[in-house]
């Protein structure tokens, strides 16, 4: 069985909307899309009066070169968030099908599934093993209803990684049954290799990449789904006809020039050093139980028992940290610039000087 046959039957039968730009492309005179013939003053270069190409070929080629895949395996999306949503809608029948997630992990997988009224099966990462994936538990959780297995490596928020061989073995076991979707939003910060090249051999394996993190383009919204061309074709049917705003395309193309790519690589190296600096800031703090530096541009920490409120305390001083609901008492701290980490150090010192919540109860507002 091909993984395509596991898609929703309505989508398999759907004839996609044929937009003017998709049908006819570009020509010197374009009277087929009800556009205004003149751009706004100052918009001439971007031609914002024109609808953009649904998948601008130059951008597709540059991204395919960056990720080292054939162009027909790559779909450009409005961030990888969009690809997550589209894949769930392509594969999961509402009220019938399900996805597997490995918490603690990126929250969007579950949200996308719930919006589609798909079931969510949890196979928790093993906290006692630095959040390793339990492959046997994962395979045991697969029911006929499961259409997508979400894996995230390096994982947000734990920074933990799954070995590529392990992921390929899982995909092989689930061939023709489940799409194994590997979210590599942070792979540039890792020493592991990307799995993009494995997609050619394993049609039920798909990879998400993004320009949002290592390439510093979160505001532009530009992600890539790398999947079997037949999967790409199905996702395109569900995607809006003009998903990529021209300014996004322009910003992405600029970020993919050799100079900017070299710059990004240097900044990734710098961020990895700053991650070590962040670790030293967290070392030997009485209010931190432990932390996991992991392979992303962030660190996960757990407060010691009896401590809480670090995020609120920091926010009052203008420093935002991410508090997680699970695991308990954990916070995720992104690796910032040197100056930002200095600010953070000041906040951590002040929090420590306040004493534990217990001593605060007995001594009132001490330290404020
Ligand atoms: C940040 C993040 C994304 C979002 O990427 P966009 O391309 O900005 O939508 C995807 N997956 C994970 C795990 C992330 O942390």
């Amino acid at each position: 069985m091909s993984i395509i046959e596991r898609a929703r039957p309505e989508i398999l039968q759907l004839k996609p909307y044929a937009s003017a730009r998709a049908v006819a492309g570009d020509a010197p005179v374009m009277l087929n899309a009800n556009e205004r013939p003149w751009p706004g003053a100052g918009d001439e270069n971007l031609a914002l009066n024109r609808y953009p190409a649904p998948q601008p070929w130059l951008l597709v080629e540059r991204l395919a070169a960056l990720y080292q895949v054939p162009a027909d395996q790559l779909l450009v999306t409005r961030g990888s968030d969009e690809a997550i949503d589209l894949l769930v809608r392509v594969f999961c029948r509402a009220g019938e099908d399900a996805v597997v997630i490995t918490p603690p992990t990126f929250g969007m997988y579950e949200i996308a599934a719930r919006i589609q009224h798909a079931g969510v099966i949890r196979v928790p990462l093993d906290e006692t093993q630095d959040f390793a994936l339990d492959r046997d538990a994962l395979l045991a959780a697969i029911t006929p209803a499961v259409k997508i297995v979400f894996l995230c490596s390096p994982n947000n928020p734990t920074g933990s990684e799954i070995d590529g061989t392990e992921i390929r073995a899982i995909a092989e076991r689930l061939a023709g049954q489940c799409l194994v979707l590997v979210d590599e939003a942070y792979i540039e910060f890792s020493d592991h290799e990307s799995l993009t090249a494995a997609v050619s051999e394993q049609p039920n394996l798909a990879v998400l990449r993004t320009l949002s993190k290592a390439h510093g383009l979160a505001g532009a919204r530009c992600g890539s789904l790398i999947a079997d061309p037949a999967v790409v074709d199905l996702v395109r049917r569900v995607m809006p006809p003009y998903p990529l705003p021209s300014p996004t395309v322009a910003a992405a193309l600029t970020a993919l020039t050799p100079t900017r790519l070299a710059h990004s690589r240097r900044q990734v190296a710098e961020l990895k050093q700053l991650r070590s600096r962040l670790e030293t800031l967290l070392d030997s703090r009485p209010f931190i139980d432990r932390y996991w530096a992991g392979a992303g541009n962030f660190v996960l920490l757990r407060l010691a028992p009896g401590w809480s409120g670090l995020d609120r305390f920091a926010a009052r001083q203008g420093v935002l940290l991410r508090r997680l609901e699970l695991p308990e008492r954990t916070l995720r701290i992104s690796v910032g610039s040197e100056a930002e980490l200095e600010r953070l150090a000041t906040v951590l010192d002040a929090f420590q000087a306040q004493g534990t919540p217990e001593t605060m109860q007995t001594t009132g507002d001490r330290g404020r």
Side-chain angles (χ1 to χ4, degrees):
M1 197 189 203
S2 143
I3 189 65
I4 295 308
E5 293 167 51
R6 296 283 283 157
R8 287 169 50 202
E10 312 84 84
I11 306 300
L12 288 169
Q13 281 152 28
L14 185 72
K15 198 168 163 283
Y17 173 70
S19 67
R21 210 54 89 232
V23 168
D26 278 16
V29 180
M30 296 193 285
L31 304 177
N32 61 344
N34 298 352
E35 298 151 332
R36 192 174 85 174
W38 316 286
D43 289 347
E44 292 83 358
N45 284 340
L46 278 174
L48 289 180
N49 55 319
R50 298 292 176 188
Y51 281 104
Q55 288 289 301
W57 66 270
L58 186 58
L59 180 58
V60 172
E61 272 191 5
R62 294 269 153 86
L63 286 167
L66 179 67
Y67 301 140
Q68 299 181 294
V69 295
D72 65 353
Q73 282 181 6
L74 189 138
L75 183 73
V76 191
T77 57
R78 286 171 293 186
S80 14
D81 285 345
E82 183 180 36
I84 293 165
D85 172 56
L86 295 173
L87 283 164
V88 169
R89 285 197 278 147
V90 162
F91 282 94
C92 294
R93 293 166 300 172
E96 296 185 48
D97 294 332
V99 306
V100 167
I101 62 169
T102 61
T105 192
F106 189 45
M108 282 306 294
Y109 313 141
E110 173 158 1
I111 302 280
R114 298 227 174 272
I115 290 170
Q116 177 64 7
H117 192 199
V120 176
I121 298 172
R122 291 156 206 283
V123 181
L125 299 174
D126 187 352
E127 193 180 327
T128 65
Q129 300 291 321
D130 286 336
F131 298 103
L133 176 73
D134 185 342
R135 177 181 13 163
D136 295 338
L138 178 85
L139 292 173
I142 304 296
T143 66
V146 174
K147 296 289 186 70
I148 302 177
V149 174
F150 285 100
L151 300 176
C152 187
S153 183
N155 183 44
N156 174 7
T158 60
S160 52
E161 299 186 88
I162 312 168
D163 201 62
T165 339
E166 178 97 332
I167 296 177
R168 280 201 300 269
I170 291 169
E172 225 165 278
R173 278 283 291 275
L174 301 176
Q177 199 180 347
C178 305
L179 186 76
V180 175
L181 183 59
V182 189
D183 188 341
E184 293 187 337
Y186 300 98
I187 192 73
E188 291 89 347
F189 300 100
S190 155
D191 298 327
H192 279 62
E193 252 184 59
S194 169
L195 274 173
T196 54
V199 170
S200 294
E201 296 136 47
Q202 200 65 47
N204 66 322
L205 181 69
V207 178
L208 298 177
R209 300 287 300 259
T210 180
L211 297 183
S212 292
K213 306 283 161 59
H215 295 272
L217 232 58
R221 314 305 303 130
C222 186
S224 296
L225 165 68
I226 291 140
D228 188 78
V231 173
V232 167
D233 173 67
L234 284 183
V235 175
R236 280 198 74 170
R237 297 182 188 191
V238 180
M239 204 175 197
Y242 300 111
L244 304 172
S246 308
T248 294
V249 175
L253 282 172
T254 306
L256 295 170
T257 54
T259 333
R260 282 278 300 266
L261 285 174
H263 184 64
S264 286
R265 275 194 296 275
R266 284 195 299 275
Q267 297 211 314
V268 164
E270 188 176 341
L271 283 167
K272 284 160 97 170
Q273 284 181 348
L274 288 165
R275 184 173 66 201
S276 308
R277 165 98 185 101
L278 172 55
E279 284 180 65
T280 60
L281 292 185
L282 303 176
D283 279 333
S284 49
R285 298 271 180 192
F287 58 90
I288 294 177
D289 188 17
R290 64 166 300 183
Y291 64 82
W292 296 264
N297 63 336
F298 52 84
V299 171
L300 180 72
L301 71 82
R302 184 169 51 211
L303 294 173
W307 290 84
S308 64
L310 174 58
D311 57 314
R312 287 187 302 276
F313 181 87
R316 282 199 295 275
Q317 304 187 35
V319 175
L320 298 183
L321 313 175
R322 185 85 149 135
R323 177 158 52 95
L324 307 171
E325 314 223 314
L326 282 173
E328 265 178 43
R329 303 196 314 273
T330 55
L331 298 171
R332 192 194 63 202
I333 305 184
S334 307
V335 178
S337 66
E338 206 163 343
E340 288 170 332
L341 292 184
E342 285 313 315
R343 277 281 293 272
L344 175 69
T346 313
V347 169
L348 296 176
D349 291 344
F351 186 72
Q352 190 166 330
Q354 267 207 340
T356 65
E358 286 88 330
T359 53
M360 280 173 69
Q361 269 165 21
T362 52
T363 58
D365 272 353
R366 189 171 73 105
R368 257 183 260 167

